[in-house]
Amino acid sequence: MYVHHVGQALRVSALVELAGTQTRHLLDKMYPDRGDPYPDETDPSVVTAIKSGVFSTVWPERLVKAATEGDCRLELLPAMGDFVPAGGRLFLIRGDASRLDLETVNDCVILSMERSLVQDVGYGMRLLVDMGERSLSESPYQDPTTAVQTIDRLHDILRQLARRPLPDGRHRDDAGVLRLTEHVMTWDAYVHLAFDELRIVGVKSPQVARRLHAALTDLMTVAPADRRPVLEEQLELLTEAVEHSFDRPADVALASRPDAAGIGPIRTDGAHLSRPV
């Protein structure tokens, strides 16, 4: 437990939090609060954050219950992963706010030091994209193998997600009355998160370009019709970028060939494909 605690304390996010907290304390010392309320605290239709942090966890069922008991509707303003400053707006209350238990509402949202993998699927994908970008930070030929490995995982995540229903962010009580709305990730948003930046930074690597092409082509085979346009757009952007990245038609063709391993299959006879190691 001690080693784990030390490891956590040495993470960049912990150091950022430490610097931010100490600066906040210094601010309070150098510029004392004279008791002026935050602007939104005078508005009864706004629920503000008691402390600062990254929006990492929410319990919609509890919020629906609180809104039902208060006979109102809540709009959750930050999206998952957003940073909320102390006194920042968390909810808008639609209807009479006098019966709403504000303490309960605040307890239904957790603001953490950093994003987490408790409820935030987009954060996990963001980490993978960051690792892929970091492997290509100096050059598209720096470490394309690591970039391909991150695309492998992104491909798998999107493939599992492709046919699953995604919530629309609207929560109703047992009587069907809308009680809570929240910002949610859409299929298009997940696809853009997974591929936009890796396509931009990695298109000049034939290995990365081939792996992206293979991932998108495969996703097209499993995604429902209404989820294919964003994949088609990604394929078009990838094809266009590859054509502008290489001068020789043969190189364009090589980088454009879909390949699940990224290294480029070479046909040796009429029946077998072998890959160079």
Short mmCIF file of all heavy atoms in Angstrom, two decimals, residues 177-228:
data_model
loop_
_atom_site.label_atom_id
_atom_site.label_comp_id
_atom_site.label_asym_id
_atom_site.label_seq_id
_atom_site.Cartn_x
_atom_site.Cartn_y
_atom_site.Cartn_z
N VAL A 177 -41.73 10.67 -16.86
CA VAL A 177 -41.44 12.10 -16.87
C VAL A 177 -39.93 12.31 -16.94
O VAL A 177 -39.16 11.69 -16.19
CB VAL A 177 -42.01 12.80 -15.62
CG1 VAL A 177 -41.67 14.29 -15.63
CG2 VAL A 177 -43.52 12.59 -15.55
N LEU A 178 -39.48 13.18 -17.85
CA LEU A 178 -38.06 13.47 -17.99
C LEU A 178 -37.57 14.21 -16.75
O LEU A 178 -38.06 15.28 -16.41
CB LEU A 178 -37.82 14.31 -19.24
CG LEU A 178 -36.36 14.67 -19.55
CD1 LEU A 178 -35.54 13.42 -19.84
CD2 LEU A 178 -36.29 15.63 -20.74
N ARG A 179 -36.56 13.65 -16.08
CA ARG A 179 -36.07 14.24 -14.84
C ARG A 179 -34.60 14.67 -14.91
O ARG A 179 -34.17 15.49 -14.12
CB ARG A 179 -36.23 13.23 -13.69
CG ARG A 179 -37.67 12.90 -13.35
CD ARG A 179 -38.43 14.15 -12.88
NE ARG A 179 -39.79 13.82 -12.44
CZ ARG A 179 -40.66 14.74 -12.06
NH1 ARG A 179 -40.34 16.03 -12.07
NH2 ARG A 179 -41.88 14.38 -11.67
N LEU A 180 -33.84 14.12 -15.84
CA LEU A 180 -32.41 14.42 -15.90
C LEU A 180 -31.92 14.32 -17.33
O LEU A 180 -32.26 13.38 -18.06
CB LEU A 180 -31.62 13.44 -15.02
CG LEU A 180 -30.10 13.48 -15.14
CD1 LEU A 180 -29.55 14.79 -14.58
CD2 LEU A 180 -29.47 12.29 -14.42
N THR A 181 -31.13 15.32 -17.75
CA THR A 181 -30.44 15.24 -19.03
C THR A 181 -28.95 15.44 -18.78
O THR A 181 -28.55 16.21 -17.90
CB THR A 181 -30.94 16.32 -20.02
OG1 THR A 181 -30.74 17.62 -19.44
CG2 THR A 181 -32.41 16.12 -20.34
N GLU A 182 -28.12 14.74 -19.55
CA GLU A 182 -26.67 14.85 -19.41
C GLU A 182 -26.02 14.73 -20.78
O GLU A 182 -26.60 14.20 -21.73
CB GLU A 182 -26.14 13.75 -18.48
CG GLU A 182 -26.41 12.34 -18.97
CD GLU A 182 -25.74 11.28 -18.12
OE1 GLU A 182 -24.67 11.58 -17.55
OE2 GLU A 182 -26.28 10.16 -18.04
N HIS A 183 -24.81 15.25 -20.89
CA HIS A 183 -24.04 15.12 -22.12
C HIS A 183 -23.44 13.72 -22.19
O HIS A 183 -22.86 13.24 -21.21
CB HIS A 183 -22.91 16.16 -22.15
CG HIS A 183 -23.38 17.58 -22.14
ND1 HIS A 183 -23.90 18.18 -23.26
CD2 HIS A 183 -23.42 18.50 -21.15
CE1 HIS A 183 -24.23 19.43 -22.96
NE2 HIS A 183 -23.97 19.65 -21.69
N VAL A 184 -23.58 13.08 -23.34
CA VAL A 184 -23.04 11.73 -23.52
C VAL A 184 -22.25 11.66 -24.82
O VAL A 184 -22.43 12.47 -25.74
CB VAL A 184 -24.16 10.68 -23.54
CG1 VAL A 184 -24.86 10.58 -22.19
CG2 VAL A 184 -25.18 10.97 -24.64
N MET A 185 -21.37 10.70 -24.89
CA MET A 185 -20.59 10.44 -26.10
C MET A 185 -21.46 9.71 -27.12
O MET A 185 -22.19 8.77 -26.77
CB MET A 185 -19.36 9.61 -25.78
CG MET A 185 -18.29 10.33 -24.99
SD MET A 185 -17.30 11.46 -26.01
CE MET A 185 -16.30 10.29 -26.94
N THR A 186 -21.37 10.11 -28.36
CA THR A 186 -22.08 9.44 -29.45
C THR A 186 -21.11 8.51 -30.18
O THR A 186 -19.89 8.57 -29.99
CB THR A 186 -22.65 10.45 -30.43
OG1 THR A 186 -21.55 11.17 -31.05
CG2 THR A 186 -23.57 11.45 -29.73
N TRP A 187 -21.64 7.68 -31.06
CA TRP A 187 -20.80 6.81 -31.88
C TRP A 187 -19.82 7.63 -32.71
O TRP A 187 -18.62 7.33 -32.77
CB TRP A 187 -21.67 5.93 -32.77
CG TRP A 187 -20.93 5.24 -33.88
CD1 TRP A 187 -20.96 5.56 -35.21
CD2 TRP A 187 -20.03 4.13 -33.75
NE1 TRP A 187 -20.14 4.71 -35.92
CE2 TRP A 187 -19.57 3.82 -35.06
CE3 TRP A 187 -19.58 3.37 -32.68
CZ2 TRP A 187 -18.67 2.78 -35.30
CZ3 TRP A 187 -18.68 2.33 -32.93
CH2 TRP A 187 -18.24 2.05 -34.21
N ASP A 188 -20.32 8.68 -33.35
CA ASP A 188 -19.44 9.53 -34.16
C ASP A 188 -18.32 10.12 -33.32
O ASP A 188 -17.17 10.21 -33.77
CB ASP A 188 -20.24 10.65 -34.81
CG ASP A 188 -21.08 10.17 -35.98
OD1 ASP A 188 -21.29 8.94 -36.10
OD2 ASP A 188 -21.54 11.00 -36.78
N ALA A 189 -18.64 10.53 -32.09
CA ALA A 189 -17.63 11.13 -31.23
C ALA A 189 -16.54 10.12 -30.88
O ALA A 189 -15.35 10.45 -30.86
CB ALA A 189 -18.28 11.66 -29.95
N TYR A 190 -16.93 8.88 -30.62
CA TYR A 190 -15.94 7.84 -30.31
C TYR A 190 -15.04 7.57 -31.52
O TYR A 190 -13.83 7.38 -31.36
CB TYR A 190 -16.64 6.55 -29.88
CG TYR A 190 -17.11 6.54 -28.45
CD1 TYR A 190 -18.45 6.32 -28.13
CD2 TYR A 190 -16.21 6.73 -27.40
CE1 TYR A 190 -18.88 6.29 -26.82
CE2 TYR A 190 -16.64 6.71 -26.08
CZ TYR A 190 -17.98 6.50 -25.79
OH TYR A 190 -18.39 6.49 -24.47
N VAL A 191 -15.61 7.53 -32.70
CA VAL A 191 -14.81 7.28 -33.90
C VAL A 191 -13.82 8.42 -34.13
O VAL A 191 -12.64 8.19 -34.43
CB VAL A 191 -15.72 7.09 -35.14
CG1 VAL A 191 -14.90 7.05 -36.42
CG2 VAL A 191 -16.55 5.82 -34.99
N HIS A 192 -14.28 9.65 -34.00
CA HIS A 192 -13.38 10.79 -34.17
C HIS A 192 -12.27 10.77 -33.11
O HIS A 192 -11.11 11.05 -33.42
CB HIS A 192 -14.16 12.10 -34.08
CG HIS A 192 -14.94 12.43 -35.32
ND1 HIS A 192 -14.33 12.71 -36.52
CD2 HIS A 192 -16.28 12.50 -35.53
CE1 HIS A 192 -15.26 12.97 -37.43
NE2 HIS A 192 -16.45 12.84 -36.86
N LEU A 193 -12.62 10.44 -31.88
CA LEU A 193 -11.62 10.36 -30.83
C LEU A 193 -10.56 9.32 -31.15
O LEU A 193 -9.36 9.55 -30.96
CB LEU A 193 -12.31 10.03 -29.50
CG LEU A 193 -11.40 9.72 -28.29
CD1 LEU A 193 -10.48 10.90 -27.99
CD2 LEU A 193 -12.24 9.36 -27.07
N ALA A 194 -10.99 8.18 -31.65
CA ALA A 194 -10.07 7.08 -31.91
C ALA A 194 -9.14 7.35 -33.09
O ALA A 194 -7.95 6.99 -33.04
CB ALA A 194 -10.85 5.79 -32.16
N PHE A 195 -9.64 8.00 -34.14
CA PHE A 195 -8.89 8.01 -35.40
C PHE A 195 -8.39 9.37 -35.87
O PHE A 195 -7.40 9.42 -36.62
CB PHE A 195 -9.75 7.38 -36.51
CG PHE A 195 -10.02 5.93 -36.30
CD1 PHE A 195 -11.33 5.44 -36.36
CD2 PHE A 195 -9.01 5.04 -36.04
CE1 PHE A 195 -11.59 4.10 -36.18
CE2 PHE A 195 -9.26 3.69 -35.84
CZ PHE A 195 -10.56 3.22 -35.92
N ASP A 196 -9.02 10.46 -35.50
CA ASP A 196 -8.64 11.75 -36.08
C ASP A 196 -7.17 12.08 -35.88
O ASP A 196 -6.43 12.33 -36.84
CB ASP A 196 -9.50 12.87 -35.48
CG ASP A 196 -10.85 13.00 -36.17
OD1 ASP A 196 -11.06 12.35 -37.20
OD2 ASP A 196 -11.70 13.77 -35.67
N GLU A 197 -6.73 12.08 -34.65
CA GLU A 197 -5.37 12.53 -34.36
C GLU A 197 -4.33 11.51 -34.82
O GLU A 197 -3.26 11.89 -35.35
CB GLU A 197 -5.22 12.82 -32.87
CG GLU A 197 -6.09 13.99 -32.42
CD GLU A 197 -6.00 14.24 -30.92
OE1 GLU A 197 -4.98 13.86 -30.30
OE2 GLU A 197 -6.96 14.81 -30.36
N LEU A 198 -4.62 10.22 -34.65
CA LEU A 198 -3.67 9.21 -35.11
C LEU A 198 -3.54 9.23 -36.63
O LEU A 198 -2.45 8.99 -37.17
CB LEU A 198 -4.11 7.82 -34.63
CG LEU A 198 -3.85 7.53 -33.15
CD1 LEU A 198 -4.45 6.19 -32.76
CD2 LEU A 198 -2.36 7.55 -32.85
N ARG A 199 -4.62 9.54 -37.31
CA ARG A 199 -4.53 9.66 -38.77
C ARG A 199 -3.66 10.84 -39.16
O ARG A 199 -2.82 10.74 -40.06
CB ARG A 199 -5.94 9.82 -39.37
CG ARG A 199 -5.96 10.22 -40.82
CD ARG A 199 -7.37 10.22 -41.38
NE ARG A 199 -8.33 10.87 -40.53
CZ ARG A 199 -8.46 12.20 -40.43
NH1 ARG A 199 -7.66 13.00 -41.13
NH2 ARG A 199 -9.39 12.72 -39.66
N ILE A 200 -3.82 11.95 -38.47
CA ILE A 200 -3.06 13.16 -38.81
C ILE A 200 -1.57 12.97 -38.55
O ILE A 200 -0.73 13.31 -39.39
CB ILE A 200 -3.60 14.37 -38.01
CG1 ILE A 200 -5.02 14.72 -38.50
CG2 ILE A 200 -2.68 15.58 -38.17
CD1 ILE A 200 -5.72 15.75 -37.64
N VAL A 201 -1.22 12.41 -37.39
CA VAL A 201 0.20 12.30 -37.04
C VAL A 201 0.86 11.06 -37.64
O VAL A 201 2.08 11.02 -37.78
CB VAL A 201 0.39 12.28 -35.51
CG1 VAL A 201 -0.18 13.53 -34.89
CG2 VAL A 201 -0.22 11.04 -34.87
N GLY A 202 0.06 10.04 -38.00
CA GLY A 202 0.66 8.78 -38.43
C GLY A 202 0.53 8.44 -39.88
O GLY A 202 1.02 7.39 -40.31
N VAL A 203 -0.11 9.31 -40.67
CA VAL A 203 -0.39 8.94 -42.05
C VAL A 203 0.87 8.76 -42.88
O VAL A 203 0.88 8.00 -43.86
CB VAL A 203 -1.32 9.99 -42.70
CG1 VAL A 203 -0.57 11.32 -42.90
CG2 VAL A 203 -1.87 9.49 -44.03
N LYS A 204 1.96 9.40 -42.50
CA LYS A 204 3.19 9.27 -43.27
C LYS A 204 3.96 7.99 -42.94
O LYS A 204 4.99 7.72 -43.56
CB LYS A 204 4.09 10.50 -43.03
CG LYS A 204 3.51 11.77 -43.62
CD LYS A 204 4.47 12.95 -43.48
CE LYS A 204 3.88 14.20 -44.12
NZ LYS A 204 4.81 15.36 -44.02
N SER A 205 3.48 7.24 -41.99
CA SER A 205 4.04 5.92 -41.71
C SER A 205 3.20 4.87 -42.44
O SER A 205 2.02 4.70 -42.14
CB SER A 205 4.02 5.63 -40.20
OG SER A 205 4.24 4.25 -39.97
N PRO A 206 3.78 4.17 -43.42
CA PRO A 206 3.00 3.15 -44.14
C PRO A 206 2.38 2.12 -43.20
O PRO A 206 1.25 1.68 -43.41
CB PRO A 206 4.04 2.52 -45.07
CG PRO A 206 5.06 3.58 -45.27
CD PRO A 206 5.13 4.31 -43.96
N GLN A 207 3.11 1.76 -42.14
CA GLN A 207 2.62 0.77 -41.20
C GLN A 207 1.35 1.25 -40.51
O GLN A 207 0.36 0.53 -40.40
CB GLN A 207 3.70 0.46 -40.15
CG GLN A 207 3.35 -0.67 -39.20
CD GLN A 207 4.51 -1.02 -38.30
OE1 GLN A 207 5.65 -0.73 -38.62
NE2 GLN A 207 4.23 -1.64 -37.18
N VAL A 208 1.34 2.50 -40.05
CA VAL A 208 0.18 3.06 -39.37
C VAL A 208 -0.97 3.25 -40.35
O VAL A 208 -2.13 2.95 -40.03
CB VAL A 208 0.56 4.39 -38.69
CG1 VAL A 208 -0.68 5.07 -38.11
CG2 VAL A 208 1.59 4.16 -37.60
N ALA A 209 -0.67 3.75 -41.54
CA ALA A 209 -1.72 3.99 -42.54
C ALA A 209 -2.42 2.69 -42.90
O ALA A 209 -3.65 2.63 -43.01
CB ALA A 209 -1.12 4.65 -43.78
N ARG A 210 -1.64 1.61 -43.10
CA ARG A 210 -2.25 0.32 -43.45
C ARG A 210 -3.12 -0.20 -42.31
O ARG A 210 -4.20 -0.74 -42.54
CB ARG A 210 -1.14 -0.69 -43.77
CG ARG A 210 -0.47 -0.48 -45.11
CD ARG A 210 0.39 -1.69 -45.50
NE ARG A 210 1.52 -1.86 -44.60
CZ ARG A 210 2.76 -1.44 -44.86
NH1 ARG A 210 3.00 -0.80 -45.99
NH2 ARG A 210 3.74 -1.65 -44.00
N ARG A 211 -2.65 -0.03 -41.07
CA ARG A 211 -3.44 -0.53 -39.93
C ARG A 211 -4.72 0.26 -39.74
O ARG A 211 -5.78 -0.31 -39.43
CB ARG A 211 -2.58 -0.46 -38.65
CG ARG A 211 -3.29 -1.06 -37.43
CD ARG A 211 -3.56 -2.54 -37.66
NE ARG A 211 -4.38 -3.13 -36.60
CZ ARG A 211 -5.71 -3.24 -36.65
NH1 ARG A 211 -6.39 -2.79 -37.71
NH2 ARG A 211 -6.36 -3.82 -35.66
N LEU A 212 -4.66 1.57 -39.92
CA LEU A 212 -5.87 2.38 -39.85
C LEU A 212 -6.87 1.96 -40.93
O LEU A 212 -8.07 1.86 -40.68
CB LEU A 212 -5.52 3.86 -40.00
CG LEU A 212 -4.88 4.55 -38.79
CD1 LEU A 212 -4.39 5.94 -39.18
CD2 LEU A 212 -5.85 4.63 -37.62
N HIS A 213 -6.36 1.73 -42.13
CA HIS A 213 -7.22 1.32 -43.24
C HIS A 213 -7.89 0.00 -42.94
O HIS A 213 -9.10 -0.18 -43.18
CB HIS A 213 -6.38 1.22 -44.53
CG HIS A 213 -7.19 1.30 -45.78
ND1 HIS A 213 -8.14 0.35 -46.12
CD2 HIS A 213 -7.22 2.21 -46.79
CE1 HIS A 213 -8.69 0.66 -47.28
NE2 HIS A 213 -8.16 1.79 -47.70
N ALA A 214 -7.14 -0.95 -42.38
CA ALA A 214 -7.71 -2.25 -42.04
C ALA A 214 -8.77 -2.13 -40.96
O ALA A 214 -9.83 -2.78 -41.03
CB ALA A 214 -6.60 -3.19 -41.59
N ALA A 215 -8.51 -1.30 -39.95
CA ALA A 215 -9.48 -1.13 -38.86
C ALA A 215 -10.79 -0.54 -39.38
O ALA A 215 -11.88 -1.03 -39.06
CB ALA A 215 -8.88 -0.24 -37.77
N LEU A 216 -10.68 0.50 -40.17
CA LEU A 216 -11.89 1.15 -40.70
C LEU A 216 -12.65 0.24 -41.63
O LEU A 216 -13.89 0.18 -41.60
CB LEU A 216 -11.49 2.45 -41.41
CG LEU A 216 -11.02 3.58 -40.49
CD1 LEU A 216 -10.29 4.65 -41.29
CD2 LEU A 216 -12.20 4.18 -39.74
N THR A 217 -11.94 -0.49 -42.47
CA THR A 217 -12.60 -1.42 -43.40
C THR A 217 -13.35 -2.50 -42.64
O THR A 217 -14.48 -2.86 -42.99
CB THR A 217 -11.55 -2.05 -44.33
OG1 THR A 217 -10.87 -1.02 -45.06
CG2 THR A 217 -12.21 -3.00 -45.32
N ASP A 218 -12.74 -3.04 -41.60
CA ASP A 218 -13.40 -4.07 -40.81
C ASP A 218 -14.61 -3.51 -40.07
O ASP A 218 -15.66 -4.17 -40.01
CB ASP A 218 -12.41 -4.68 -39.81
CG ASP A 218 -13.07 -5.73 -38.94
OD1 ASP A 218 -13.47 -6.78 -39.47
OD2 ASP A 218 -13.20 -5.50 -37.72
N LEU A 219 -14.48 -2.31 -39.50
CA LEU A 219 -15.61 -1.72 -38.79
C LEU A 219 -16.80 -1.49 -39.72
O LEU A 219 -17.96 -1.58 -39.29
CB LEU A 219 -15.18 -0.40 -38.13
CG LEU A 219 -14.23 -0.54 -36.94
CD1 LEU A 219 -13.70 0.83 -36.51
CD2 LEU A 219 -14.93 -1.21 -35.76
N MET A 220 -16.52 -1.21 -40.97
CA MET A 220 -17.61 -1.02 -41.94
C MET A 220 -18.44 -2.29 -42.11
O MET A 220 -19.62 -2.23 -42.44
CB MET A 220 -17.02 -0.61 -43.29
CG MET A 220 -16.49 0.81 -43.34
SD MET A 220 -17.82 2.02 -43.46
CE MET A 220 -18.44 1.66 -45.10
N THR A 221 -17.83 -3.45 -41.86
CA THR A 221 -18.56 -4.71 -42.05
C THR A 221 -19.48 -5.04 -40.89
O THR A 221 -20.37 -5.88 -41.03
CB THR A 221 -17.56 -5.88 -42.24
OG1 THR A 221 -16.83 -6.09 -41.01
CG2 THR A 221 -16.59 -5.59 -43.38
N VAL A 222 -19.26 -4.42 -39.73
CA VAL A 222 -20.07 -4.75 -38.56
C VAL A 222 -20.98 -3.61 -38.11
O VAL A 222 -21.95 -3.84 -37.40
CB VAL A 222 -19.17 -5.20 -37.38
CG1 VAL A 222 -18.43 -6.47 -37.73
CG2 VAL A 222 -18.21 -4.10 -36.96
N ALA A 223 -20.66 -2.39 -38.50
CA ALA A 223 -21.45 -1.25 -38.06
C ALA A 223 -22.79 -1.19 -38.79
O ALA A 223 -22.85 -1.45 -40.00
CB ALA A 223 -20.69 0.05 -38.30
N PRO A 224 -23.88 -0.86 -38.09
CA PRO A 224 -25.17 -0.67 -38.75
C PRO A 224 -25.09 0.48 -39.76
O PRO A 224 -24.18 1.31 -39.70
CB PRO A 224 -26.12 -0.32 -37.60
CG PRO A 224 -25.43 -0.82 -36.37
CD PRO A 224 -23.96 -0.70 -36.64
N ALA A 225 -26.05 0.52 -40.66
CA ALA A 225 -26.02 1.50 -41.75
C ALA A 225 -25.92 2.94 -41.23
O ALA A 225 -25.21 3.77 -41.81
CB ALA A 225 -27.26 1.34 -42.63
N ASP A 226 -26.62 3.25 -40.14
CA ASP A 226 -26.62 4.63 -39.66
C ASP A 226 -25.32 5.00 -38.96
O ASP A 226 -25.11 6.18 -38.64
CB ASP A 226 -27.81 4.87 -38.72
CG ASP A 226 -27.76 3.98 -37.48
OD1 ASP A 226 -27.15 2.89 -37.55
OD2 ASP A 226 -28.33 4.37 -36.44
N ARG A 227 -24.44 4.04 -38.73
CA ARG A 227 -23.16 4.33 -38.10
C ARG A 227 -21.98 4.24 -39.09
O ARG A 227 -20.83 4.41 -38.68
CB ARG A 227 -22.91 3.38 -36.91
CG ARG A 227 -23.90 3.60 -35.78
CD ARG A 227 -23.56 2.77 -34.55
NE ARG A 227 -24.51 3.04 -33.45
CZ ARG A 227 -24.45 2.50 -32.25
NH1 ARG A 227 -23.47 1.65 -31.96
NH2 ARG A 227 -25.34 2.79 -31.32
N ARG A 228 -22.29 3.99 -40.34
CA ARG A 228 -21.22 3.87 -41.33
C ARG A 228 -20.72 5.19 -41.91
O ARG A 228 -19.56 5.28 -42.30
CB ARG A 228 -21.66 2.95 -42.47
CG ARG A 228 -21.82 1.51 -42.06
CD ARG A 228 -22.37 0.67 -43.19
NE ARG A 228 -22.86 -0.62 -42.69
CZ ARG A 228 -23.71 -1.39 -43.35
NH1 ARG A 228 -24.17 -1.00 -44.53
NH2 ARG A 228 -24.10 -2.54 -42.83
#
